[in-house]
Amino acid sequence: NAGVTQTPKFRILKIGQSMTLQCTQDMNHNYMYWYRQDPGMGLKLIYYSVGAGITDKGEVPNGYNVSRSTTEDFPLRLELAAPSQTSVYFCASSYSSSDTRAGGRGQPQHFGDGTRLSIL
Amino acid sequence: AQKITQTQPGMFVQEKEAVTLDCTYDTSDPSYGLFWYKQPSSGEMIFLIYQGSYDQQNATEGRYSLNFQKARKSANLVISASQLGDSAMYFCAMRLSGSARQLTFGSGTQLTVLP
């Protein structure tokens, strides 16, 4: 049972380079999210998606782009890497509120293991 | 706007003792959910427990319980019989109803269990 899979686990970029962080989930969740976690801090929402073809900005979207062409995949794109984007990035997914498959326990978000990104 | 506050950057507890991690929240929405996640040093986010704003009883999951005081807007996590493996960062998070179910996180509490 893979859940949410993120690749790569670690990456070092030079300032100005671009890269895509991959995220895929096999739980058929409609909702997907990208968060960043700076050292000693909580997670902040970058972008989210409520279904294929639908994305929206979160709290800290500047410098990032996303796409959602399938239910399973939600890649995060950094176009011009900056030192301020050094962080740990988490992808998460969850059922929608109307999904009858969700069951109880609050339908929590399921997280990937994170991508540790350093911009030098 | 919603906000989560965790005022304890670090906590220490002796093995086998109970510990309470504080969480207060601020929202004007009457319908919301509160979550606790554990982040061990390996970095993954592990869901622990959930409390809905309309739930009549405090949530419990094994050694974890949530002391929910709605009037005080607090949702403290209680860990009973602490184990060395409980040493980790703990995050409180809130989700509002009618949204895309995104979470707002607190800054976390680093718990260290002493042998």
Side-chain angles (χ1 to χ4, degrees):
Chain A
N1 190 4
V4 180
T5 302
Q6 291 184 238
T7 57
K9 293 189 184 303
F10 305 94
R11 184 74 185 267
I12 298 174
L13 282 182
K14 294 183 179 179
I15 296 171
Q17 287 185 324
S18 62
M19 78 163 293
T20 299
L21 281 66
Q22 301 292 344
C23 174
T24 188
Q25 52 94 6
D26 63 359
M27 297 172 281
N28 206 22
H29 286 165
N30 285 327
Y31 289 1
M32 295 189 73
Y33 313 85
W34 275 105
Y35 295 90
R36 60 177 285 173
Q37 183 182 23
D38 298 329
M41 303 294 288
L43 280 67
K44 293 186 177 181
L45 184 66
I46 305 171
Y47 270 95
Y48 64 94
S49 169
V50 299
I54 307 170
T55 63
D56 208 347
K57 296 178 181 179
E59 183 184 358
V60 288
N62 291 343
Y64 307 94
N65 278 300
V66 294
S67 60
R68 184 99 182 267
S69 57
T70 67
T71 299
E72 295 78 20
D73 299 309
F74 190 40
L76 178 72
R77 178 85 177 160
L78 283 71
E79 290 294 349
L80 289 171
S84 61
Q85 293 176 306
T86 293
S87 191
V88 179
Y89 292 84
F90 287 97
C91 179
S93 70
S94 75
Y95 288 112
S96 65
S97 56
S98 59
D99 197 319
T100 56
R101 299 169 295 168
R105 299 181 79 234
Q107 304 165 18
Q109 291 184 14
H110 298 258
F111 284 82
D113 288 342
T115 294
R116 189 174 298 273
L117 180 63
S118 295
I119 315 295
L120 304 176
Chain B
Q2 62 272 21
K3 186 177 180 181
I4 293 283
T5 303
Q6 296 180 254
T7 57
Q8 306 156 313
M11 288 280 287
F12 293 88
V13 64
Q14 209 68 37
E15 193 178 8
K16 300 181 184 177
E17 292 187 348
V19 62
T20 297
L21 306 184
D22 294 341
C23 172
T24 59
Y25 59 92
D26 186 22
T27 180
S28 56
D29 193 322
S31 179
Y32 51 88
L34 296 157
F35 298 79
W36 278 91
Y37 281 85
K38 173 185 178 181
Q39 187 178 44
S41 58
S42 50
E44 71 269 30
M45 296 289 287
I46 302 168
F47 165 68
L48 295 178
I49 195 167
Y50 165 80
Q51 180 83 43
S53 59
Y54 293 120
D55 292 344
Q56 295 297 313
Q57 305 221 349
N58 287 343
T60 61
E61 290 282 351
R63 293 187 299 112
Y64 304 108
S65 61
L66 205 151
N67 184 2
F68 181 48
Q69 298 188 45
K70 196 169 181 177
R72 295 185 177 182
K73 293 190 175 180
S74 73
N76 299 338
L77 177 70
V78 180
I79 305 175
S80 63
S82 297
Q83 302 172 356
L84 295 178
D86 293 335
S87 293
M89 185 74 109
Y90 288 81
F91 291 101
C92 181
M94 178 167 62
R95 180 184 72 202
L96 299 183
S97 66
S99 65
R101 305 172 72 76
Q102 60 264 47
L103 296 172
T104 298
F105 284 84
S107 55
T109 295
Q110 180 69 48
L111 177 67
T112 302
V113 180
L114 303 171

